[in-house]
Amino acid sequence: MSCGAAELRITFSPGRVQLVQEEEVVPGGPRVLVTGATGLLGRAVCAEFLSIGWSVIGTGYRRARPRLLRCDLTDEDAVRGLLHEYQPDVIVHCAAERRPDVVERYTEAAVNLNVHATSMLAKEAAVCGALLIYISTDYVFDGRNPPYGEDDSPNPLNVYGRSKLEGERETLRHCPGAVVLRVPVLFGEVESVMESAVTSLWVKVEASESCTLDHCQQRFPTDARDVATVCRKLAERARQHLFFFSWLFAHLSVSQDPSIKGIFHFSGKEQMTKYEMAVAIAQAFNLPSNHLIPLTEQPVAAAPRPVNAQLNCSRLELQNLGVEPRPFTVAITDCLWPFTPDKRWRQTVFH
């Protein structure tokens, strides 16, 4: 999604940065660059900023589509040129390889995106003076002593968690004014039910044959739209403080707004296993759940998962930057009704 994309004069060689489709320029207003804009969270972030009148440009790569920029974030020249041309006020870095088992199998490619590309983006964000919001994960923790505050020591159990933790460190090393926003498993307005580990449970709920579901790992399913709102609130707060802190910079040698930088946590509040999520989905759609069987032993997977990596979100809440999530059954119903066999289901139930 983009507003103001036509003002970009991209001159890099093919395959680095290219406009998929030009858009009419929207003059003035703050500008936000969203990486990974083809993904679940990236789409929600683009929609959130567009809704308040920001000029938004999203980047994608393999899944780039009309109204997006195709950009290889592992190409340093492409990243530098992109930021130089667009001069964003805010960058929300959603792009990542987020599937733990895939990261275990294709470690080099995942680290290239999750760590090296993040490092380059942080360097360039610092140069252009943009607020960088880096999306991280609860998987930086081992899950043995929840809930985890922002200052608790990370101890990731898998390569994915280690790559995201290293991305955090690179972000704050090269761009000390950046924000790291850790979030748990996400769901939202998916293009396919398989896009999220939460909405993918629909396949098992809908099936008639018996199936087992993990009833060991504690998760906190979180709506991507709520995460997008938090990103918007962080960006708006940073801009509200801009003029005030500019005066402080000039007169008192203050170099940074201490309230909008560093690590923040955001999470849904309902604690659920995959089995409990699936049962809740079945109940929300008035479907049977007796074919769903809880598995109380830790499932075998390529990447080990923390048993309970609950995030303490008090820093956001103390600064009035949090969001009160809708109940899980309400939010998941909103996301899954388009995938019901009878698309009139929503009207039948809600009207």
Side-chain angles (χ1 to χ4, degrees), residues 78-337:
V79 172
R80 182 180 298 115
L82 176 64
L83 269 62
H84 174 75
E85 289 287 339
Y86 191 61
Q87 291 292 310
D89 299 293
V90 175
I91 302 167
V92 184
H93 184 30
C94 303
E97 176 49 73
R98 59 174 181 76
R99 298 165 294 179
D101 294 338
V102 172
V103 176
E104 295 285 335
R105 290 196 297 269
Y106 304 101
T107 301
E108 184 177 356
V111 168
N112 215 19
L113 178 59
N114 292 0
V115 181
H116 303 317
T118 298
S119 179
M120 289 190 293
L121 192 62
K123 291 176 186 175
E124 298 305 321
V127 170
C128 76
L131 171 68
L132 174 61
I133 301 175
Y134 170 70
I135 304 299
S136 190
T137 174
D138 58 344
Y139 276 24
V140 299
F141 297 111
D142 59 22
R144 298 189 179 103
N145 190 30
Y148 292 95
E150 293 85 357
D151 296 327
D152 287 332
S153 297
N155 184 33
L157 299 180
N158 55 43
V159 179
Y160 166 65
R162 289 195 290 274
S163 73
K164 293 299 287 182
L165 178 60
E166 190 60 31
E168 291 183 8
R169 290 170 174 166
E170 289 295 293
T171 294
L172 297 174
R173 181 162 74 95
H174 295 298
C175 190
V179 168
V180 169
L181 181 61
R182 293 174 178 154
V183 296
V185 63
L186 300 181
F187 66 96
E189 294 182 334
V190 292
E191 295 180 340
S192 156
V193 293
M194 302 309 293
E195 191 176 13
S196 158
V198 179
T199 55
S200 66
L201 296 171
W202 175 251
V203 175
K204 295 190 175 183
V205 170
E206 205 178 22
S208 55
E209 60 270 14
S210 297
C211 61
T212 58
L213 286 164
D214 173 42
H215 193 42
C216 182
Q217 185 186 5
Q218 304 297 316
R219 310 299 298 270
F220 294 82
T222 300
D223 194 329
R225 293 166 292 187
D226 291 338
V227 178
T229 301
V230 170
C231 291
R232 186 258 300 166
K233 285 188 168 188
L234 285 163
E236 288 182 324
R237 178 71 62 83
R239 286 187 60 78
Q240 287 169 2
H241 290 183
L242 180 62
F243 294 111
F244 173 65
F245 279 92
S246 294
W247 184 88
L248 289 180
F249 299 159
H251 294 83
L252 301 177
S253 300
V254 175
S255 59
Q256 183 65 47
D257 173 358
S259 66
I260 309 298
K261 71 170 185 175
I263 299 171
F264 290 86
H265 290 172
F266 179 71
S267 171
K269 296 181 178 180
E270 294 177 73
Q271 179 174 324
M272 312 173 85
T273 64
K274 280 192 173 181
Y275 168 74
E276 288 169 330
M277 286 185 237
V279 170
I281 291 169
Q283 291 173 347
F285 286 91
N286 298 316
L287 294 173
S289 61
N290 53 2
H291 64 293
L292 305 173
I293 303 169
L295 181 65
T296 55
E297 296 179 355
Q298 190 80 2
V300 177
R305 270 78 161 167
V307 172
N308 185 348
Q310 180 182 6
L311 299 174
N312 180 325
C313 307
S314 58
R315 187 179 179 204
L316 271 179
E317 292 164 359
L318 286 171
Q319 298 191 45
N320 197 30
L321 292 168
V323 175
E324 185 61 34
R326 290 183 295 169
F328 175 74
T329 52
V330 174
I332 198 67
T333 300
D334 189 40
C335 300
L336 286 174
W337 75 264

Side-chain angles (χ1 to χ4, degrees), residues 332-346:
I332 198 67
T333 300
D334 189 40
C335 300
L336 286 174
W337 75 264
F339 301 96
T340 58
D342 183 355
K343 302 300 187 294
R344 296 170 298 175
W345 182 91
R346 191 184 195 195

